[in-house]
Amino acid sequence: MKDIIAKSLLNKIERLETFEERLNVRFENISVKVDDYGWVFVFFEFHSNSGPTIDDIIKIECTAYDIDGHILEVNDNYVFPDKFFGFEVFKFSFQEDGISDKINKLRLYPKL
């Protein structure tokens, strides 16, 4: 059952590709896992389209929405130019019992 929910949530990820293009980055190898408590974990790789570097600090956000479009939770993390070497792996966690049943959409996007 957890695998079915995880696959369903993976299909509900909305990427804002225009944001990715504007910042010259991309997300790859996105996956979702759901644990026994219904917690949700989103994994992905962050890549630069311009080689092994980025010019600016980039904030990555992952927002969970319910069926009515209300925001359930927001996770964020930063990528720093001086610590970035081509790609970086991230994990966002939505740790509320049963949240996997409440999420209708996950939006993943970068911003400055």
Side-chain angles (χ1 to χ4, degrees):
M1 187 65 169
K2 293 182 300 186
D3 292 339
I4 293 169
I5 295 170
K7 187 174 183 176
S8 173
L9 289 172
L10 181 61
N11 291 327
K12 294 178 180 180
I13 291 178
E14 177 182 288
R15 292 171 48 196
L16 299 180
E17 293 180 6
T18 55
F19 287 26
E20 293 177 46
E21 290 170 12
R22 181 171 178 233
L23 296 177
N24 205 24
V25 299
R26 68 188 184 282
F27 300 119
E28 291 185 3
N29 300 315
I30 301 168
S31 63
V32 175
K33 299 218 182 285
V34 176
D35 75 2
D36 291 336
Y37 299 102
W39 294 7
V40 175
F41 304 93
V42 179
F43 301 88
F44 60 93
E45 293 176 355
F46 172 86
H47 291 263
S48 170
N49 291 332
S50 58
T53 62
I54 56 174
D55 296 326
D56 299 299
I57 296 171
I58 296 177
K59 181 179 184 180
I60 302 170
E61 290 188 354
C62 187
T63 307
Y65 298 85
D66 69 10
I67 192 86
D68 296 318
H70 299 126
I71 295 172
L72 297 170
E73 191 173 335
V74 179
N75 279 226
D76 61 38
N77 212 321
Y78 292 86
V79 184
F80 297 94
D82 60 334
K83 296 183 177 170
F84 182 76
F85 296 103
F87 83 98
E88 196 167 329
V89 177
F90 288 91
K91 171 185 170 185
F92 286 134
S93 303
F94 298 94
Q95 298 177 325
E96 175 188 312
D97 289 355
I99 197 164
S100 62
D101 294 328
K102 297 176 187 175
I103 295 174
N104 186 59
K105 175 174 65 175
L106 290 161
R107 183 175 281 162
L108 180 64
Y109 54 95
K111 60 193 251 185
L112 292 179

